[in-house]
Amino acid sequence: MRRAATVTAAAGAAWLARRALRRRIERSPLWPLPALEHPISGYSPRRALRALIVSRTEPAEGVLHLVLESPELPAWSPGAHIDITLPSGLVRQYSLCGDPADTGRYTIAVRLVEDGRGGSREAHAGLTEGSELELRPPRNRFALAAAPSYVFVAGGIGITPILPMLRAATAAGAAWTLLYGGRSRASMPFLDELAAYGERVTVVPEDEAGLPGLSVLGAAPAGTLVYCCGPEPLMAAAVAAAPAGVEVRLERFAPGAPSGADAPFTVTLARSGRTVEVPADGTTLAAVRRELPDTPYSCEQGFCGTCRQGVLSGEVDHRDDLLTDEERGTSMLLCVSRARGEHLTLDL
């Protein structure tokens, strides 16, 4: 009896020691070793980081500019964005617009959207210098690829992911131009910084010159890469204006345009056999969460991937910009995507 108790105690102590060691390893930014091509545990995309707001300014009307500092901030590359958890628990995504060489510091800008879903209003009202923020490590699905020449097109706050690209393209010696549109000069941030680039930058305030023309794309030589971020109509126009041999890459922080008029449909949750109704004016995510309230989600805009679930049958109307063609064959993002027909079956 004493021997059994001793063995049990020893096993329990060993389990606790292994768990403590595993947690210590997972917190270490040196694991896996830097020699690995893709170190994952030290900077897990699910790992919450803490950063201090060391500067809060307003570089333009309705634009909040924040500088965040922390010794544990991972490296990033132009085009990357981070997930910020606001004090209320809302999660919002913002492009990094500072200098990747400035380690230990992230810079973001937030446009106030009065008729939005509340995230920007909370950021403007509640994020103060000296307070802490929770964030997730950077992710980049708008990375700057090597090219002999670039055309950058930005609309409003869409300038944020473009700024680091201009620095990188300049350092690489590539030819580039920027077309930057906005409602007015007063509403367009970073104009002073952009002025240093001279004639390569064309600023088009709508109240002075109307909407920006995209003739520059038609004159771009084959092999040019176009990076565009801004309102949906601007991005659609950029795609339409690009000639053959010129690739357009887009970054959007809103759901993709619907493929047609929305219609109600049903979703079967295969693991329980339950069926839920998705109304024409509701999301798949909301319908599923009525039955499965623990279903994970974050951005509700189709670009973070948190609500991705497997699809067992049915045709999906994909409205995200995150999943690859291969991934779309077997999964969907519940927050924005819908059924093309009357029914889907999910692996839930």
Side-chain angles (χ1 to χ4, degrees), residues 165-224:
M165 295 184 178
L166 304 183
R167 303 185 193 107
T170 301
W176 63 265
T177 59
L178 166 66
L179 180 64
Y180 179 24
R183 295 192 308 272
S184 65
R185 290 183 186 274
S187 71
M188 300 169 69
F190 309 115
L191 290 180
D192 290 344
E193 181 176 340
L194 293 171
Y197 291 117
E199 295 183 354
R200 285 186 286 188
V201 175
T202 300
V203 176
V204 185
E206 186 177 347
D207 62 348
E208 298 176 18
L211 297 174
L214 296 172
S215 59
V216 63
L217 296 185
T224 297

Side-chain angles (χ1 to χ4, degrees), residues 101-294:
D102 192 3
T103 57
R105 174 175 289 195
Y106 287 169
T107 303
I108 62 172
V110 183
R111 167 78 69 189
L112 178 61
V113 183
E114 291 287 1
D115 58 350
R117 297 182 303 133
S120 67
R121 292 195 300 274
E122 182 179 352
H124 276 249
L127 299 186
T128 59
E129 188 172 319
S131 60
E132 270 196 338
L133 271 181
E134 180 180 299
L135 56 103
R136 302 285 177 177
R139 291 175 291 167
N140 198 339
R141 56 181 181 80
F142 193 49
L144 184 68
S149 61
Y150 303 93
V151 176
F152 299 103
V153 181
I157 202 64
I159 190 63
T160 51
I162 300 297
L163 278 178
M165 295 184 178
L166 304 183
R167 303 185 193 107
T170 301
W176 63 265
T177 59
L178 166 66
L179 180 64
Y180 179 24
R183 295 192 308 272
S184 65
R185 290 183 186 274
S187 71
M188 300 169 69
F190 309 115
L191 290 180
D192 290 344
E193 181 176 340
L194 293 171
Y197 291 117
E199 295 183 354
R200 285 186 286 188
V201 175
T202 300
V203 176
V204 185
E206 186 177 347
D207 62 348
E208 298 176 18
L211 297 174
L214 296 172
S215 59
V216 63
L217 296 185
T224 297
L225 283 181
V226 178
Y227 283 82
C228 180
C229 183
E232 192 69 34
L234 175 66
M235 294 192 290
V239 171
V246 173
E247 180 184 353
V248 180
R249 301 188 177 187
L250 306 175
E251 172 81 320
R252 55 167 60 92
F253 286 95
S259 60
D262 288 339
F265 61 97
T266 58
V267 173
T268 294
L269 310 177
R271 299 181 196 177
S272 65
R274 287 176 286 181
T275 296
V276 298
E277 302 282 341
V278 181
D281 59 350
T283 67
T284 312
L285 175 64
V288 169
R289 281 179 55 82
R290 284 196 293 271
E291 289 291 331
L292 302 175
D294 292 332

Side-chain angles (χ1 to χ4, degrees), residues 308 310-314 316 318 323-332:
R308 176 182 170 184
V311 178
L312 301 179
S313 67
V316 179
H318 292 283
L323 300 182
T324 65
D325 289 342
E326 182 178 359
E327 291 169 335
R328 289 183 175 191
T330 58
S331 62
M332 67 181 288

